[in-house]
Amino acid sequence: MGTALSTLKVVQVAYATTDVRASALRWHRLYGAGPFFVREHVPTASVTVDDGDGVFDHTCALGQWGDVMVEFVHHHELAPASLDRDMRRGDTGLHHVACFVDDLEQARDRLVAEGARVVMDAATPEVRFVFLDVGPEVGHLVEIYERTPYLAGLYDRVRQASVGWDGTDPLRERR
């Protein structure tokens, strides 16, 4: 039996950027990824950091890259200062990988028992998610969430948009 981290299946690779649209277009040109669905200032219903409230204001672009979703994320505002420090690991580069889990609480608790630290526990109006720092040897965050009907639909819509896609309209606004 492996560690909690070794049992997770990565479904998304996310990169920090200062411009989600420019990054998505670059990945489209270089790697054929896309199309990308851009959402400005993703609304959050709750953000918990160190047992207190936080702010997580970001813009993202979601696209398909082979069998995995690729995300570009730009942070507008992160608070408190500890969240800003933990989430901003540089303006560009690998930010996190995302994984579906069967039970969010159980997966989070198992990762924490093995030394991970919860950076943020948050929810949008549609989904709850947890970001964890699993240690310096990994070098990026891990995001976990349950495969809800909303998330399954989102992942499927992004994947389906890539099937037979001819490369036109690589950036699409998402509400």
Side-chain angles (χ1 to χ4, degrees):
M1 181 155 147
T3 66
L5 188 60
S6 70
T7 63
L8 297 177
K9 180 179 187 251
V10 174
V11 296
Q12 180 195 79
V13 178
Y15 295 88
T17 182
T18 57
D19 186 331
V20 300
R21 287 172 179 82
S23 293
L25 287 172
R26 185 171 196 284
W27 270 61
H28 165 63
R29 283 191 307 274
L30 292 174
Y31 310 118
F36 286 88
F37 296 86
V38 178
R39 190 169 190 190
E40 291 278 349
H41 300 278
V42 178
T44 52
S46 67
V47 177
T48 303
V49 180
D50 299 325
D51 296 326
D53 291 337
V55 175
F56 178 51
D57 180 12
H58 72 290
T59 291
C60 69
L62 305 173
Q64 197 68 23
W65 181 38
D67 291 333
V68 71
M69 179 186 281
V70 64
E71 175 183 17
F72 293 99
V73 62
H74 171 69
H75 298 117
H76 301 287
E77 182 181 3
L78 297 163
S82 62
L83 181 62
D84 190 78
R85 179 193 65 241
D86 289 340
M87 293 292 283
R88 286 190 210 272
R89 295 170 169 241
D91 287 338
T92 61
L94 185 58
H95 185 267
H96 71 271
V97 297
C99 306
F100 286 130
V101 296
D102 293 331
D103 183 305
L104 188 62
E105 305 290 335
Q106 183 180 54
R108 182 200 62 212
D109 292 349
R110 187 166 174 218
L111 286 161
V112 167
E114 293 177 2
R117 182 176 55 82
V118 173
V119 170
M120 173 177 60
D121 188 326
T124 68
E126 301 89 8
V127 64
R128 182 171 163 222
F129 54 97
V130 177
F131 275 97
L132 299 110
D133 182 339
V134 295
E137 60 281 347
V138 173
H140 59 75
L141 298 171
V142 172
E143 179 184 21
I144 57 173
Y145 37 59
E146 292 178 6
R147 186 179 179 90
T148 64
Y150 170 81
L151 274 177
L154 175 63
Y155 271 76
D156 190 55
R157 283 188 305 277
V158 171
R159 185 182 56 75
Q160 285 296 327
S162 73
V163 175
W165 177 53
D166 65 3
T168 58
D169 193 20
L171 294 178
R172 303 168 186 193
E173 297 303 311
R174 188 174 147 248
R175 309 274 178 256

